[in-house]
Amino acid sequence: MNFKKLENNLLDMIQEQQVKIGYMSGVTRFYYPLQSLNRLLGTELTEEEMQHAMEEFSDYACDRLGKVTASSKNGRFCITLPPQASDYVHENRKPSEFLVRFIGTVARHGCTLDEVMDVFRAYSDHVHVEKTTGTGFDYLVYFEDGIPDDYRYCLSLEGEHMIYHKFTPGDYEDFGF
């Protein structure tokens, strides 16, 4: 079982949180459907089997993240990371320039879609932009070559605020948009 993708996903989310609100040492919880965990691990485990896999993941990542725990209910997992995980990200991972600039842009009151697209295009000539309907979002944007990241950004302009949600490619596809 390859735990690296799961660890990187957790670290990416902690890093995004720290870019948005700053560094705080504390317990962090993230929620995953079973299908997402299976995709990240390259497995097809049942909920019970995944619970055991999460114990193995805790052993695998303990030196970096501390004792990770997981609980599940109806195929939904809560992964709880101790303060050591936030500390590890703060001390060992520098956020990407793209992420810092993107979050800084969408956080500004009155941000426009053109300003957000300028951020994406500053980091790649291979930006996919798609107007969406029936998705709950206005636009899907991502880097076609996965550089600087391979997440799917779903953007909506609500009043004077740009709202975004970020998904792995597989999770985005699972929504059936």
Side-chain angles (χ1 to χ4, degrees):
M1 194 170 322
N2 185 349
F3 292 120
K4 195 67 182 156
K5 275 188 173 181
L6 174 58
E7 181 178 4
N8 284 335
N9 187 261
L10 289 164
L11 295 175
D12 284 351
M13 290 193 298
I14 292 171
Q15 191 163 60
E16 182 178 4
Q17 180 184 52
Q18 289 180 1
V19 169
K20 287 179 180 177
I21 62 175
Y23 163 67
M24 294 183 311
S25 182
V27 172
T28 309
R29 289 177 181 84
F30 294 109
Y31 295 87
Y32 288 86
L34 176 61
Q35 186 171 354
S36 294
L37 289 175
N38 272 318
R39 186 177 304 104
L40 287 168
L41 297 177
T43 59
E44 293 183 17
L45 303 176
T46 66
E47 187 171 342
E48 185 177 323
E49 292 167 333
M50 184 60 74
Q51 191 65 49
H52 294 293
M54 290 297 94
E55 292 168 13
E56 291 177 36
F57 173 74
S58 181
D59 293 340
Y60 163 83
C62 191
D63 291 345
R64 295 171 301 285
L65 307 182
K67 177 87 171 121
V68 177
T69 60
S71 60
S72 67
K73 184 175 183 180
N74 298 325
R76 185 171 183 234
F77 281 76
C78 173
I79 297 178
T80 304
L81 302 160
Q84 183 178 338
S86 294
D87 300 343
Y88 177 82
V89 169
H90 178 70
E91 295 166 5
N92 296 288
R93 287 189 55 157
K94 182 180 179 204
S96 75
E97 290 179 28
F98 165 73
L99 183 65
V100 171
R101 190 167 165 199
F102 172 75
I103 290 173
T105 301
V106 298
R108 278 196 340 266
H109 184 76
C111 165
T112 67
L113 180 64
D114 286 339
E115 291 172 317
V116 174
M117 292 304 98
D118 288 345
V119 172
F120 275 87
R121 290 186 180 114
Y123 292 89
S124 177
D125 293 329
H126 306 284
V127 177
H128 178 93
V129 181
E130 181 180 327
K131 176 86 171 122
T132 62
T133 57
T135 63
F137 307 109
D138 297 328
Y139 293 91
L140 166 65
V141 183
Y142 61 91
F143 298 103
E144 293 172 342
D145 59 3
I147 299 170
D149 72 39
D150 68 348
Y151 290 102
R152 301 304 186 249
Y153 293 82
C154 297
L155 307 172
S156 295
L157 187 59
E158 296 183 9
E160 296 290 316
H161 300 281
M162 184 67 68
I163 308 297
Y164 82 94
H165 294 277
K166 183 170 96 170
F167 303 99
T168 64
D171 285 345
Y172 180 82
E173 289 173 20
D174 282 349
F175 285 116
F177 296 143

